[in-house]
Amino acid sequence: MPMWGGRLRAGRADEGGARPYERLLRSRTGRGAAALCAGALPALAFPAPSLWWMAYVALVPWLLLIRSAETGHRAAVDGWLGGMGFMLAVHHWLMPSLHVFIVVLAALLGLLWAPWGLLVARLLGGSPSVRRSVAAVAVVPSGWLMIELVRSWEGLGGPWGLLGASQWDVAPALRVASVGGVWLVSLGVVAVNTAVALLLAVPAARTAATACLVTGAVGVGATAIWAPRPEAAGTTRIAVVQPGVVEGPGSIDRRFARGEELTRALAGQDVDLVVWGESSVGVDLSRSRATADRVAALSRLVGADVLVNMDARRADGPDRIGIFKSAVLVGPDGPTGDRYDKMRLVPFGEYVPARALLGWATSVGKAAGEDRLRGSGPVVMDLPDGLRVGPLVCFESAFPDMSRQLTKDGAQLLVAQSSTSTFQHSWAPAQHASLGALRAAEAGRPMVHATLTGVSAVHGPLGERVGAPLGTDASEAAVYDVPLAQGTTLYVRLGAWPVYGALAVLAVFLGTVGLRSFRTPAPTRPVPPARTAGGSPERPGR
């Protein structure tokens, strides 16, 4: 059996027995195209297609392709190209902003899957034993999780498109997220794919693969029943103001005016908080008294504080002068002093990593011409009625650790202010809004996702939908009766423990492989028998 998983079994092409797809996979170009397409397939499980069930089988073609690799190099290339396809498909809506640069980024990030390709070929290749098959169901998902962990770093684009996030609308998966975050959901999804690949390709492992699937289903069921649930703690009325698409000259002022108009319509509706989207205010309220007074007048009219979002140049000390994205709470008397400055910025959208090296990206796309400045830490805001609000800005809602920290700091309501107007007619708005369900389920706290142009949505403390979302064609204000909760989920208590578990699994596996390699003696080259001058090799003198 070859080390990396065995050769294609259909025979040589010149023997006339190879089927068309087998000839295709023997072609370097054809196999590369197949890897790109197989890697892209899981994107259909995310919004907007939202074919969530596909997530549990979408990796199978990719796994089977890697399994057929003849060499370790080929397996690594299959992993790399599949990863590139996945990144392009999940982030294709960035093309208008980054143009060809997105291909470069996808190719670089796709390299994270090259070691995973080696891992898959080692475990699934050839005719794996029952023991190796069971190990594959644990080790292959653990390897995938390491990729998600690395690419979740803000500088590499952040945790957008984590495989577990495709299950945002599946109640059992949200219960699993409350125990181990999106990390545990991703592990489960990849484990199912691995078991299905074994069922299809390895007859001797079908019993073991079936047992793994049954065990996983029982585990999910037990989690759904017995995992701690948040306890109901009343409701709060939250208004979301979505002005809609406002473009052209003077768009900032006209958008603000539309937000005022929609907010005035909330008078008499007994709301506890009004939330505007990201960049809803284009000036620094501390320097523009007239604008601050206009928002304060709205607060007095509706009888609730207004959470706006400033995208403006500000001085935050003698050495910190620049553009901040800031959530600012405004009450009847003006800004209350509660302000949160965005900490994690969008690469290329709000800053250019290593600008001295990559600054040319501004000439081929819509990369930031000036780097925004970062906030120094999370902030929990206190409303007059005692409700504690934890704000996030834009793609910070993709980071599980940020909403977890706000919950640990006492937030009773999570609020994400966003603007996806640049990607209005793509999958991005729906993908972004769906993240609120995961963050709510992980934290056991409701989450309000308010945008300028949609999709705005609200989710309860179990990740369930609250009311109807505001789509990308809406320009309106909506009021939601949001259920509050108390208590602590296991994810908030324990953090990203599935990541550490995956690290342990990989360490044990790699240690076992290394130990076996150390114990197995290296093959010795055969030594030809000595010949004598007068006889046969082994019987001199004859």
Side-chain angles (χ1 to χ4, degrees):
M1 180 186 71
M3 178 180 179
W4 296 106
R7 297 179 180 274
L8 295 169
R9 297 204 177 341
R12 297 178 182 175
D14 60 1
E15 293 173 352
R19 298 186 179 94
Y21 76 88
E22 291 165 343
R23 291 196 295 270
L24 174 70
L25 295 185
R26 289 195 183 106
S27 161
R28 182 177 299 178
T29 302
R31 191 179 181 96
L36 281 168
C37 293
L41 195 58
L44 296 176
F46 293 87
S50 285
L51 303 176
W52 63 266
W53 52 269
M54 280 197 66
Y56 295 93
V57 294
L59 295 180
V60 172
W62 191 6
L63 292 169
L64 296 180
L65 179 69
I66 296 174
R67 179 179 181 272
S68 71
E70 296 182 339
T71 65
H73 176 267
R74 185 67 252 179
V77 170
D78 288 343
W80 168 50
L81 291 176
M84 181 178 175
F86 179 78
M87 296 303 293
L88 282 172
V90 173
H91 299 85
H92 71 276
W93 41 269
L94 285 170
M95 188 72 73
S97 296
L98 297 182
H99 300 297
V100 70
F101 196 63
I102 190 176
V103 179
V104 177
L105 290 174
L108 292 173
L109 291 173
L111 290 171
L112 293 172
W113 276 270
W116 186 74
L118 294 172
L119 191 67
V120 170
R122 178 66 181 257
L123 286 160
L124 299 184
S127 301
S129 63
V130 172
R131 179 180 297 179
R132 182 149 62 101
S133 299
V134 172
V137 177
V139 177
V140 170
S142 297
W144 181 280
L145 202 63
M146 292 303 101
I147 299 169
E148 294 200 334
L149 177 66
V150 172
R151 74 180 186 86
S152 292
W153 178 49
E154 174 197 337
L156 293 180
W160 192 286
L162 302 185
L163 196 55
S166 66
Q167 305 304 292
W168 68 277
D169 203 23
V170 182
L174 292 174
R175 295 289 293 137
V176 172
S178 74
V179 173
V182 68
W183 313 110
L184 188 57
V185 182
S186 286
L187 270 178
V189 170
V190 182
V192 170
N193 277 274
T194 306
V196 172
L198 288 166
L199 280 172
L200 294 176
V202 186
R206 285 174 181 165
T207 300
T210 301
C212 290
L213 288 172
V214 171
T215 301
V218 171
V220 171
T223 298
I225 295 172
W226 287 303
R229 291 175 180 267
E231 301 175 8
T235 61
T236 184
R237 285 175 63 81
I238 307 297
V240 172
V241 173
Q242 180 177 298
V245 178
V246 180
E247 298 177 324
S251 59
I252 295 176
D253 292 335
R254 289 189 291 114
R255 183 187 300 119
F256 184 88
R258 178 58 177 161
E260 280 185 302
E261 179 184 358
L262 292 171
T263 304
R264 289 192 194 101
L266 297 170
Q269 296 195 42
D270 193 28
V271 297
D272 298 308
L273 176 67
V274 179
V275 183
W276 287 18
E278 179 187 13
S279 304
S280 48
V281 176
V283 296
D284 178 6
L285 293 180
S286 66
R287 297 172 61 88
S288 177
R289 183 66 185 176
T291 305
D293 287 345
R294 289 168 68 180
V295 180
L298 294 173
S299 174
R300 291 191 296 271
L301 178 66
V302 300
D305 286 1
V306 182
L307 184 65
V308 299
N309 187 276
M310 299 188 320
D311 186 356
R313 187 172 301 279
R314 194 182 79 236
D316 194 31
D319 299 323
R320 278 175 56 84
I321 301 175
I323 300 175
F324 289 83
K325 289 277 188 78
S326 306
V328 178
L329 193 64
V330 181
D333 300 321
T336 65
D338 285 331
R339 188 191 77 220
Y340 166 68
D341 298 326
K342 185 177 182 181
M343 295 165 54
R344 296 184 183 173
L345 305 178
V346 180
F348 298 98
E350 295 172 333
Y351 79 105
V352 176
R355 184 177 286 273
L357 180 64
L358 301 176
W360 57 269
T362 59
S363 63
V364 297
K366 299 177 182 178
E370 176 183 351
D371 292 348
R372 267 56 173 171
L373 299 185
R374 304 170 187 271
S376 57
V379 173
V380 176
M381 301 178 175
D382 294 299
L383 299 187
D385 63 359
L387 183 67
R388 308 200 71 202
V389 177
L392 298 166
V393 181
C394 191
F395 94 140
E396 289 183 331
S397 65
F399 292 85
D401 64 304
M402 296 193 72
S403 52
R404 175 176 179 255
Q405 186 59 53
L406 285 170
T407 304
K408 293 179 69 175
D409 291 345
Q412 299 166 286
L413 173 71
L414 303 173
V415 175
Q417 296 173 299
S418 177
S419 169
T420 51
S421 54
T422 304
F423 314 105
Q424 188 74 355
H425 302 292
S426 71
W427 295 356
Q431 282 187 22
H432 201 175
S434 71
L435 296 173
L438 285 159
R439 303 293 87 85
E442 290 168 342
R445 298 291 183 268
M447 184 161 193
V448 174
H449 179 82
T451 73
L452 291 180
T453 59
V455 176
S456 298
V458 179
H459 293 90
L462 296 178
E464 75 279 16
R465 300 189 200 205
V466 175
L470 300 179
T472 53
D473 59 346
S475 175
E476 61 182 283
V479 179
Y480 298 87
D481 290 312
V482 182
L484 299 175
Q486 59 187 7
T488 307
T489 64
L490 289 176
Y491 174 70
V492 171
R493 290 182 205 168
L494 305 176
W497 62 265
V499 172
Y500 301 110
L503 280 169
V505 168
L506 288 173
V508 170
F509 171 73
L510 295 174
T512 301
V513 170
L515 187 60
R516 286 178 179 173
S517 300
F518 179 77
R519 287 180 174 177
T520 302
T524 57
R525 299 181 62 181
V527 179
R531 291 183 176 270
T532 61
S536 66
E538 294 182 354
R539 298 194 180 185
R542 292 189 62 183

